[in-house]
Amino acid sequence: MFSCFSCVLAFSCSEGEFLDMQSQQCQKCAAGTYSLGTSVAFDEWDILPTGFITHGTTTSEGNAFINCSNSTWTPKGDYVASNTDECTATLSYAVSLKTPGALSFEYFYPDNSVYFEFFVQNDQCQATDSDSRWMRISETNWSHYEIKLSTGNNVLYWRTTTFSLLGSAVKPVLLRNIQVSGVAYTSECFHCKPGTHSSTAGSARCAPCPADTYSNKGATVCHDCESDSYAVPGSGSCKPRPACTENDYFYTHTPCDSEGKTWLMYKWIEPKICSETVEGAVKLPASGEKQTCPPCNPGFFVTNSSACEPCSNDSYSDGKVCEKCPVGTEPVLGFEYKWWTAMPSNMESSVLHQEFSNSNRRTAWEVAGEYIYTTSGVQDTDYLTLTLNVPGYRAQATGKDNEMSKLSRITFVFETLCTADCKFYFLVGYNKWNNYLVEQWKGRNSKQSYSYLIQSNNTVSFTWTFQRTEEFSMDRNFSTDAAKIYSIHVTNVIGGVASECRRCAVTPDKTGSSCVPCPPGHYMVNATGACESCPPNTYIKPSQPVGEAACVQCGPNTKRNRDYTACLSDCTFRVQSGGEAVQTYDFSLLSNVTGFTGSPRFTNRGLRYFHHFNLNLCGRESRVPASCVDNVTESGKEVKGYVCQSTVVPSDIRSQSMVSSQPFVIGDTLIGVTTETTLGGISSPSWMFPSASLQLPDVIFYYKSSDTTQACKQGRSAAVRLRCNPTANIKDLITLPSKCSEGTCDGCTFHFLWESQHACPLCTTDHYREIVSACIQGIQRTTYVWQQPLQCYGGQSLPPQKVSACVTMDFWLKLGVSIGLIAALLLISLSCYFWKKTRKLQYKYSRLMMSSEGKECELPTADSCAIMEGEDAEDDLMDLTHKSFFTKIKSFSREVGVCPIYIYVVFSITFNTVVVFTENIRWI
């Protein structure tokens, strides 16, 4: 916290002036001194200047028993250095501004294991935005930073925290030349440092002394050195000139002339500090010795003027003559430099000074025919840099669904000749201001080759830097130490040249290619170069696009993409277990990128960190892959795939932002989707995630990465188990194996369990049943309910309740009785009718018997078989007439009794029929 200031002064002094406290007037500074007026500057760090406070604290996630009281910023003469242990070191300075001002300072921040932030806190305790407080990495040179300050109280904070997972040594952050403008006044003028001067009164700053001059503290002029002595710019004294030796000059070659010759020239190393007149001194060798020019670099040809020009895109050369590539081949484009007669147009060299120097020298590397080498710098601590700029890379053997992309490779042959602790760095650049250190070598190194695989199109430059020593000295004690580069070869470069041709590869993306490839889904036959179609549902193998082996069959439940470069899943899955119906899964709601974090882990010093995973389960060509980034450095390294991991440091270690570092891909290729526990050499044993329910099998997604490591020579892989849990949400219950808390037991194969309601099969008609109610008042209801326990989600919805009309038992009973009565009456009528007919026939028979007059076995002859009209009435009358009254009554009673019998039988049959009919209606 900063102290409150009681008041703000109402006046200030200009640059070159100071406030005389007695007269309360602004006075000009005398010659030999300077004043910034409303600014204050701190460029001497023998001790911590007045107003600066530094202290060390333990991080909130660190070991509470570690003593961090000595982990502070330490003055080092020309700069102040931060701590290098796992403590937080803070440097603060409180200042009150009368007017809006600014702060500027220089810093050297070489190690991304240190988190370096700067922020300002005003009198409302409001700090700088967290997105702009993190400082950029400065690999090889001091960086400049400037920020505006508001009127009032301001507290400036420089804070560093070291976080090293491997426990290796780290480089501190260095600060110097801190200047604040907008203060009320300055009460004194400052003397010029040795090596600087101010010749007039009222100076705002001191000018450095030029080369071969010197000055003392508070000097008004710079004094010339004697003829036998020298001084580098900004020196406080002169030194005797040593005798010139062969180490004080260098040689270079001129461009080839029209005769194909080059001139060998010798030059003194600038600035020249040696003397040619001292006894034993050597003279500069005479220049002008002609030598035959070496051939042009591969991909170039010699013009009539002996200059080297590049071949066309469809040609190649060995450095002499360009030739067309044969049919079915393409030029292998790149940059290949192995002859050094002139600096290539896309390369530049420069000198970066770690300490103060006003030297204008820019050339640090010189060509020497068979190699390019470093010349002497102004000081032994200078960084001598050589930069190769690359416009971009052609897409090669990849598709947009393949996250792993081998774009290019750079190979160079080098040698370091050192007598001191020299260092040789190789860096890749992602933009103009940011270089990422790839490798470094110390001391003497014999001639050797080094290769680096380029996987990102963001790599726009390569830089080689040589430093003779880190120990600062005004003398050039190690000027003979040098680095040599014999050859540089970068493959697959846009705008490059070719030294050879290769057979056209079957790749989906032929950006910049000069040959016609086979259409998608076809491979090139080795012998003839003809194109043949791949079998169905296969994709082209990027690493082997020629031959039938280039066609790779997609795994179970996957389909190839449109570009024939990978196999994808559309997030649907069908499986049939036993004799049951086919179950369909839809994982589309799980396809978005999902992040989850494992259990906390700790470094040896007690610092807490996590392993964070990002997962993209499935999707077609338009899917967004999972990505993991490194936001510690400005390189912004980002990896993409189906599954990736990064190391995350809690936000309270780096204030308001989350730290993510060390990203890598676990799976960038989908192998298949199945319920089997083994696929493609990847195993997902059931004991890792025991299940309480055996009704539904887990659906397992298998992934593999082409990113190989020393520990995982076959690449990393992942198995993601999806388990049906109707009560879980989309992002709930992603767990790691209890026996392998980091998600992997061997460091190569990772296992995850994702429980979700969207991992259940889609509901079908087999997952619900119907309940039918009784017929009530002519209405019957049908209700549908889910089978329990419910093991599905989505899909078929429950049908709504159905209401239908029905008929009650009373209606059918009445209908049955009515029909029975009608049938009974009809049968009675028919019975009586036939009874009457029977009686008539009986009567006819009786008459025939009477006519026979008692003759046995003889009947009278009938005139006709039919009964004539009126015969019935007559016969009835006759029948009644000839019988006695008693006989008639008896005969009538006997004959009439037949009809009731018929009626009874018919009625019984009819009643039983009605009863049976009614019972059937009731059951219906």
Side-chain angles (χ1 to χ4, degrees), residues 528-589:
T528 63
C531 296
E532 295 289 343
S533 177
C534 284
N537 202 30
T538 59
Y539 69 97
I540 300 297
K541 190 176 183 179
S543 60
Q544 187 181 352
V546 179
E548 190 173 1
C551 304
V552 180
Q553 186 69 39
C554 289
N557 297 289
T558 62
K559 296 181 180 179
R560 60 155 181 81
N561 62 349
R562 290 191 298 266
D563 296 329
Y564 291 82
T565 58
C567 294
L568 306 176
S569 168
D570 61 358
C571 299
T572 60
F573 178 74
R574 292 174 178 83
V575 64
Q576 182 176 13
S577 56
E580 299 180 357
V582 176
Q583 292 183 329
T584 302
Y585 294 78
D586 184 2
F587 305 120
S588 57
L589 292 179

Side-chain angles (χ1 to χ4, degrees), residues 754-765:
W754 193 344
E755 297 185 70
S756 172
Q757 57 189 1
H758 299 287
C760 299
L762 298 178
C763 296
T764 63
T765 55

Side-chain angles (χ1 to χ4, degrees), residues 152 208 259 332 357 373 377 418 444 516 574 595 598 639 641 736 825 894 918:
E259 299 178 355
V332 183
S357 174
Y373 72 103
C418 301
R444 177 182 291 269
V516 179
R574 292 174 178 83
V639 296
L736 303 177
L825 292 175
R894 185 179 64 250
T918 304

Side-chain angles (χ1 to χ4, degrees), residues 397-407 455-456 542 561 565-568 616 619-621 623-627 638-644 665-670 703-707:
T398 62
K400 60 185 175 183
D401 296 297
N402 235 351
E403 303 343 312
M404 189 66 178
S405 165
K406 296 191 296 184
L407 287 178
Q455 300 177 358
S456 172
N561 62 349
T565 58
C567 294
L568 306 176
N616 171 230
R620 300 298 294 173
E621 281 86 350
R623 68 181 182 86
V624 178
S627 63
E638 181 179 12
V639 296
K640 293 183 179 181
Y642 283 100
V643 188
C644 63
V665 173
I666 299 176
D668 56 15
T669 302
L670 177 61
Y703 307 96
K704 194 171 184 60
S705 170
S706 55
D707 186 9

Side-chain angles (χ1 to χ4, degrees), residues 740-794:
C740 308
S741 59
E742 295 185 4
T744 176
C745 298
D746 58 4
C748 297
T749 303
F750 291 75
H751 304 271
F752 308 98
L753 174 64
W754 193 344
E755 297 185 70
S756 172
Q757 57 189 1
H758 299 287
C760 299
L762 298 178
C763 296
T764 63
T765 55
D766 296 330
H767 290 93
Y768 62 81
R769 62 187 179 90
E770 65 178 19
I771 300 177
V772 181
S773 67
C775 183
I776 302 175
Q777 296 181 354
I779 297 177
Q780 191 173 50
R781 302 178 187 274
T782 303
T783 305
Y784 300 89
V785 296
W786 292 114
Q787 301 278 8
Q788 296 299 328
L790 183 61
Q791 295 287 332
C792 68
Y793 186 82

Side-chain angles (χ1 to χ4, degrees), residues 454-517:
I454 303 160
Q455 300 177 358
S456 172
N457 237 325
N458 295 327
T459 306
V460 297
S461 67
F462 304 96
T463 300
W464 296 265
T465 300
F466 181 70
Q467 185 187 33
R468 291 181 168 86
T469 182
E470 293 182 341
E471 297 296 329
F472 177 74
S473 175
M474 298 302 294
D475 298 327
R476 291 194 297 224
N477 299 320
F478 308 105
S479 58
T480 59
D481 293 357
K484 295 181 179 181
I485 296 179
Y486 293 89
S487 65
I488 300 174
H489 187 197
V490 188
T491 63
N492 203 41
V493 179
I494 295 176
V497 293
S499 61
E500 60 179 345
C501 295
R502 64 184 175 193
R503 188 174 296 278
C504 293
V506 182
T507 56
D509 189 356
K510 301 299 292 182
T511 304
S513 175
S514 57
C515 80
V516 179

Side-chain angles (χ1 to χ4, degrees), residues 138-172:
S138 51
E139 293 287 355
T140 58
N141 196 21
W142 288 87
S143 301
H144 180 80
Y145 184 82
E146 186 170 346
I147 188 174
K148 295 184 181 299
L149 300 177
S150 303
T151 304
N153 299 327
N154 293 269
V155 180
L156 316 177
Y157 289 96
W158 294 266
R159 182 188 299 170
T160 58
T161 300
T162 301
F163 180 74
S164 177
L165 292 179
L166 301 178
S168 58
V170 297
K171 297 179 181 179

